[in-house]
């Protein structure tokens, strides 16, 4: 069966199948063979790739797997293939300005019903003393502003929803 | 141990610097009192303080800036002294005056020194009047009508700077004099917004400058000593990421000249307590940048190489004690490097990140010091600065220190919130850094250092993630309801 992991917003489809030496992982751009993973404890394990052993530290938090190996930390989100499909179709009619970073809303420059063109400043946000302007991704009409001034949000949260003009 | 006129010190700060101050207070046999906002209730500093007093505000930052609440808390804790740490109110002369008026010893310089050095134009004029070098520059308020033409006369490239504030806010580099007018307008608007003070000045921008600073200590008997330099050239957005001492850029003679200038400036300002005189250095000449009238984030590298506890010295100086050593007693031993572990994503222009710390394991080893204010389980929010911890190493030579710091960054495990750890490791292993050929624009000119090498490791990460969740999905494949089975590893 095909599975998906999302890393930094990019979706990586992969296939994991049993083989004589353990598992084989097939991805779009290659194959890793003779894979094994042994757990030593709740948060510690060893990944073996073609006989090479790599210590791994991990925490599984909901659908996100946080891993540390080779001196690097990465978070991978398991994507349920059915749900990924559903959310993609739900977003199709809407244009959204999403938060590039987590933060709080400083000022809001538009109001619902207002027509905006691509690049119009919608709001300013602040995160750890860094100020950023959120701009309209496309032409449209402001349909909903999801946060009030002073409210905080996480990265990728929808800040402002737009409808295409005429809809 | 010296006798002190107080037995409790209130810390008007949070995070790693609050923890750092508590450690010295314990060592000196003093009690610590800490103010905290509710958002920080579960932090290491609150758990370590002898007394913790809750303060409130419209935002967490507003609480830590509330002078009346902090002074009331100091009285409530029966603290005879107050340490402001860095940031927040640490360089606010009005705050220092209010503390002193309330009969509390302020652990820092006099409000007058803070005022003199806190205004960059006043500080620059003062330094120049006393015969120390400042970069060719001109000040708007000397004659606003001719500011533009005077600025042009200084010659490109120029740096437009606000008189107030810091942290790189409102600063603009101008290479083409035709864009000077626009740059001045933008800088003024930013300075007005951030500091409520739109006054500007321009100075000649030194290309590829190095940032060097000298730690000084003064007492109220007029003694001023230096504790050598720190180099802080590895920066992003004019903010420091890696600091070290000694600087690889200085000859013995140049080091002496810089240290003499810093002591001269501090002495002219009648400076007491710990302070830092910052300079830019172009390889041949140095120019005064500003003086920070507080403890600095990067003070730890100086402590590692001199063996002097700067927080203890601050407390002694504030208590009216004489410095316990003279210049010839202070020696530089070995090499120290500090890195700032931050909640940020270097590959996305160092954008801040948030999350809950799910796993936290620090590197260990000889001469590895961790100054941290975070705990496993703690939530990293956007309310404060992104710095989470500092990792400081000490070795006999610079190369060994860089290797040790690099190893420490690869061994440090923090899961749940994205950090700059692997980027710091890459910088520490970079050829240019190891050769000591750095400048304040080094990270901008070498973007590959931020972009990372995670791509090449990605297949291994995907394999580990797939195998880790495989038992669940194997069973999921056997039943029709995928969601039901996924639930078993959702916690």
């Amino acid at each position: 069966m095909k599975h998906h992991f999302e890393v930094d917003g990019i979706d990586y489809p992969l296939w994991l199948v049993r083989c004589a030496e353990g598992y084989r992982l097939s991805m779009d751009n290659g194959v890793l063979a003779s894979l094994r993973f042994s757990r030593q404890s709740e948060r510690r394990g060893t990944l073996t790739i073609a006989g090479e052993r790599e210590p791994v530290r991990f925490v599984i938090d909901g659908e996100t797997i946080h891993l540390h190996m080779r001196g690097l930390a990465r978070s991978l989100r398991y994507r349920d293939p059915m749900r990924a499909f559903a959310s993609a179709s739900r977003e199709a009619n809407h244009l959204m300005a999403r938060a590039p970073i987590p933060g709080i809303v400083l000022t809001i420059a538009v109001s619902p019903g207002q027509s905006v063109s691509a690049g119009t400043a919608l709001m300013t946000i602040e995160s750890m003393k860094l100020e950023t302007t959120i701009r309209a991704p496309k032409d449209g009409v402001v349909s909903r502003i999801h946060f009030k001034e002073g409210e905080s949000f996480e990265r990728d949260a929808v800040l402002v929803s737009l409808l295409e003009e005429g809809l | 141990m010296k006798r002190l006129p107080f037995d409790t010190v209130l810390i008007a700060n949070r995070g790693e610097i609050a923890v750092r101050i508590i450690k010295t207070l314990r060592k000196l046999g003093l009690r610590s009192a800490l103010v905290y906002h509710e958002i920080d209730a579960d932090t290491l500093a609150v758990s370590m303080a002898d007394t913790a007093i809750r303060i409130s505000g419209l935002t967490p930052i507003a609480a830590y800036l509330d002078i009346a609440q902090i002074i009331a808390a100091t009285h409530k804790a029966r603290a005879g002294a107050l340490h402001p740490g860095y940031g927040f109110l640490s360089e606010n002369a009005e705050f220092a005056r209010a503390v002193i008026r309330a009969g509390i010893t302020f652990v820092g310089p006099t409000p007058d020194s803070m005022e003199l050095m806190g205004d960059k134009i006043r500080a620059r004029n003062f330094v120049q009047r006393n015969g120390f070098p400042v970069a060719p520059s001109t000040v708007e308020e000397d004659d606003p009508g001719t500011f533009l033409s005077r600025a042009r006369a200084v010659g490109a490239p120029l740096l437009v700077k606000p008189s107030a504030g810091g942290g790189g806010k409102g600063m603009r580099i101008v290479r083409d004099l035709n864009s000077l007018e626009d740059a001045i307008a933008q800088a003024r608007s930013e300075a007005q917004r951030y500091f409520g003070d739109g006054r500007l000045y321009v100075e000649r921008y030194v290309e590829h400058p190095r940032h060097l600073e000298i730690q000084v200590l003064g007492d109220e008997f007029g003694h001023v000593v230096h504790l050598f330099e720190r180099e802080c050239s590895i920066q992003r957005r004019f903010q420091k990421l890696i600091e070290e001492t000694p600087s690889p850029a200085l000859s013995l003679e140049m080091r002496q000249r810089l240290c003499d200038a810093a002591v001269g400036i501090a002495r002219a300002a009648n400076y007491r307590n710990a302070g830092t005189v910052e300079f830019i250095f172009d390889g041949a000449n140095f120019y005064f940048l500003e003086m920070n009238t507080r403890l600095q984030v990067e003070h730890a590298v100086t402590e590692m190489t001199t063996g002097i506890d700067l927080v203890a010295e601050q407390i002694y100086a504030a208590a009216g004690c004489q410095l316990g050593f003279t210049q010839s007693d202070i020696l530089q031993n070995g090499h120290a490097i500090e890195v700032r572990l931050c909640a940020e994503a270097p590959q996305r222009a160092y954008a801040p990140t948030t999350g809950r710390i799910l796993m936290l394991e620090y590197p260990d080893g000889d001469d590895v010091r961790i100054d941290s204010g975070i705990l496993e389980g703690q939530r990293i929010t956007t309310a404060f600065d992104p710095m989470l911890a500092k990792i400081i190493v000490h070795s006999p030579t610079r190369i060994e220190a860089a290797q040790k710091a690099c190893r420490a960054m690869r061994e440090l495990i923090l899961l749940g919130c994205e950090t700059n750890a692997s980027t710091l490791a890459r910088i520490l292993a970079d050829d240019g850094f190891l050769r000591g050929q750095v400048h304040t624009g080094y990270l901008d000119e070498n973007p590959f250092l931020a972009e990372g090498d995670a791509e090449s490791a990605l297949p291994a990460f995907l394999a580990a993630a797939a195998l880790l969740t495989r038992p669940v999905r194997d069973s999921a494949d056997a039943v029709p309801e995928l969601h039901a089975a996924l639930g078993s590893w959702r916690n």
Side-chain angles (χ1 to χ4, degrees):
Chain A
M1 188 175 164
K2 188 177 176 183
H3 293 290
H4 292 259
F5 283 96
E6 186 191 304
V7 186
D8 270 346
I10 300 171
D11 185 60
Y12 294 90
L14 50 89
W15 291 261
L16 189 68
V17 291
R18 282 182 198 279
C19 63
E21 315 80 37
Y23 283 84
R24 188 170 68 226
L25 181 82
S26 308
M27 291 169 292
D28 285 348
N29 57 352
V31 174
L32 284 182
S34 65
L35 291 171
R36 261 182 243 275
F37 191 91
S38 60
R39 280 189 185 222
Q40 275 93 51
S41 72
E42 254 319 277
R43 316 204 293 178
R44 191 188 288 262
T46 305
L47 175 70
T48 310
I49 305 178
E52 292 278 316
R53 292 160 59 83
E54 305 254 11
V56 179
R57 312 304 302 275
F58 60 89
V59 175
I60 298 176
D61 180 36
E63 292 177 351
T64 305
I65 302 146
H66 303 274
L67 295 168
H68 184 276
M69 59 194 281
R70 299 183 184 175
L72 299 168
R74 306 291 275 168
S75 296
L76 300 90
R77 195 152 68 110
Y78 180 74
R79 299 257 296 174
D80 172 344
M82 285 181 267
R83 214 170 329 156
F85 177 74
S87 67
S89 61
R90 206 171 49 239
E91 288 190 13
N93 291 331
H94 290 81
L95 308 168
M96 297 174 189
R98 288 179 180 272
I101 48 176
I104 64 160
V105 178
L106 276 189
T107 56
I108 299 171
V110 292
S111 40
Q114 187 176 332
S115 292
V116 292
S117 43
T120 301
L122 302 174
M123 58 169 63
T124 55
I125 61 169
E126 188 190 74
S127 184
M128 294 175 177
K129 301 181 180 172
L130 182 73
E131 216 174 287
T132 309
T133 303
I134 302 298
R135 296 179 184 281
K138 280 187 175 172
D139 296 356
V141 176
V142 175
S143 66
R144 194 167 159 212
I145 297 163
H146 296 261
F147 296 92
K148 295 193 191 74
E149 285 181 11
E151 282 186 332
S152 59
F153 50 81
E154 292 301 314
R155 180 178 168 218
D156 288 334
V158 177
L159 299 176
V160 178
S161 299
L162 305 174
L163 283 172
E164 276 181 60
E165 206 127 19
L167 273 181
Chain B
M1 206 165 283
K2 299 175 185 179
R3 279 184 60 123
L4 298 170
F6 42 78
D7 56 17
T8 304
V9 178
L10 182 117
I11 301 158
N13 217 300
R14 60 180 299 281
E16 71 89 18
I17 192 61
V19 171
R20 163 75 193 88
I21 296 164
I22 291 170
K23 285 182 180 169
T24 288
L25 294 175
R26 283 183 179 174
K27 197 171 83 183
L28 299 183
L30 296 169
R31 288 175 55 80
S32 55
L34 180 70
V35 289
Y36 73 99
H37 181 271
E38 194 181 359
I39 199 171
D40 283 333
D42 295 332
T43 57
L44 181 60
V46 172
S47 73
M48 284 176 67
D50 294 316
T51 311
I53 296 165
R54 215 173 112 181
I55 51 173
S56 55
L58 274 177
T59 63
I61 287 183
Y64 290 101
L65 293 175
D66 189 329
I67 294 176
Q69 275 194 81
I70 290 169
I71 288 178
T74 313
H75 288 315
K76 190 173 168 196
R78 298 179 185 282
L82 179 147
H83 196 305
Y86 54 69
F88 293 125
L89 293 164
S90 61
E91 291 180 283
N92 184 317
E94 185 198 332
F95 174 60
R97 284 206 177 91
V99 169
I100 295 163
R101 260 200 315 273
I104 302 159
T105 300
F106 181 76
V107 182
T110 63
D112 288 349
S113 306
M114 289 164 88
E115 233 156 40
L116 171 64
M117 291 303 174
D119 183 312
K120 288 185 190 169
I121 294 174
R122 271 188 72 192
R124 172 197 161 280
N125 291 345
F126 176 81
V127 165
Q128 194 170 37
R129 251 197 337 272
N130 281 279
F132 298 102
V134 299
S137 54
T138 193
V139 176
E140 179 177 29
E141 59 186 333
D142 288 348
D143 181 5
T146 60
F147 182 47
L148 198 60
S149 57
R150 283 184 291 126
R152 285 209 170 93
V154 172
L158 285 173
L159 191 58
V160 182
K161 298 167 97 173
S163 177
K169 290 267 189 265
M171 278 163 56
R172 289 272 182 296
I173 298 169
V174 177
R175 291 204 160 78
D176 173 5
L177 289 178
N178 290 323
S179 64
L180 179 63
E181 202 166 352
D182 283 348
I184 287 175
Q186 286 168 355
R188 192 190 321 283
S189 140
E190 258 183 53
Q192 189 64 47
R193 197 163 68 238
Y194 285 109
F195 316 119
D197 180 347
R199 288 175 305 138
L200 300 177
Y201 67 112
V202 295
E203 67 183 24
R204 172 77 51 74
Y205 178 67
V206 177
E207 292 286 1
H208 294 154
R210 300 179 82 116
H211 180 114
L212 298 175
E213 59 188 33
I214 309 292
Q215 176 73 54
V216 296
L217 270 176
D219 65 20
E220 60 183 68
F221 305 94
H223 304 118
V224 179
V225 294
H226 70 79
L227 286 85
F228 301 99
E229 83 282 12
R230 295 186 283 261
E231 169 148 13
C232 317
S233 295
I234 297 291
Q235 305 184 351
R236 45 112 179 81
R237 288 197 295 270
F238 297 108
Q239 289 169 339
K240 301 159 189 171
L241 269 190
I242 299 183
E243 302 99 345
E244 62 182 307
T245 185
S247 162
L250 290 182
S251 63
L252 279 176
E253 187 244 330
M254 189 55 81
R255 173 171 298 120
Q256 194 60 52
R257 282 175 55 195
L258 265 168
C259 291
D260 287 347
V263 168
I265 291 166
R267 199 165 272 147
N270 196 19
Y271 196 83
R272 298 170 193 175
N273 217 281
T276 298
V277 187
E278 299 195 335
F279 298 95
I280 43 173
F281 179 58
D282 65 7
N285 300 298
F286 60 85
Y287 305 104
F288 172 80
L289 198 58
E290 61 177 318
M291 181 168 186
N292 288 144
T293 56
R294 54 169 164 84
L295 190 69
Q296 280 191 304
V297 175
E298 59 272 25
H299 73 280
V301 293
T302 299
E303 295 187 323
M304 296 287 264
T305 47
T306 61
I308 291 170
D309 180 331
L310 281 164
V311 175
E313 295 307 323
Q314 283 192 295
I315 291 168
Y316 290 143
C321 304
Q322 273 199 54
L323 280 177
F325 38 76
T326 59
Q327 190 64 62
S328 58
D329 298 325
I330 306 167
L331 301 172
Q332 247 179 337
N333 163 36
H335 198 99
I337 296 181
E338 170 182 291
V339 298
R340 300 189 187 190
L341 181 72
C342 296
E344 63 188 22
Q347 74 281 9
R348 294 196 302 277
Y350 299 91
T353 58
T354 54
R356 187 174 294 285
I357 300 175
L358 302 169
M359 184 187 289
L360 178 60
E361 288 175 21
Y362 289 117
D364 53 18
D366 291 342
D367 291 325
V368 177
R369 166 175 161 180
I370 312 288
D371 278 20
S372 158
I374 51 170
L375 290 170
E376 214 170 86
Q378 187 179 323
R379 212 176 153 71
I380 304 305
T381 70
T382 59
F384 304 105
D385 185 90
M387 194 177 84
L388 301 173
K390 309 183 301 202
I391 292 87
I392 311 109
V393 303
H394 187 227
S395 280
T397 67
R398 182 170 187 269
I399 293 292
E400 288 169 276
Q403 288 167 342
K404 190 183 280 185
C406 181
R407 200 164 53 240
M409 291 325 291
R410 293 177 65 85
E411 285 171 7
L412 180 134
I413 300 172
L414 193 156
L415 294 181
C417 180
E418 210 174 335
T419 73
N420 61 351
S422 62
T423 293
L424 291 169
R426 238 178 342 265
I427 299 168
L428 290 160
D430 170 65
D431 274 350
F433 178 82
L434 292 173
R435 284 198 305 270
Q437 289 168 350
V438 294
H439 52 85
T440 56
Y442 194 75
L443 294 186
D444 294 333
E445 288 186 10
N446 295 282
F448 70 92
L449 290 169
E451 278 155 15
D453 46 16
E455 264 322 287
S456 62
L458 194 61
F461 276 92
L462 288 168
L467 286 165
L468 255 170
T469 54
R470 179 197 51 77
V472 177
R473 286 204 314 281
D474 279 358
S475 66
D477 290 345
V479 295
E481 183 51 79
L482 179 64
H483 294 258
L486 275 173
S488 65
W489 60 277
R490 198 161 282 164
N491 299 320

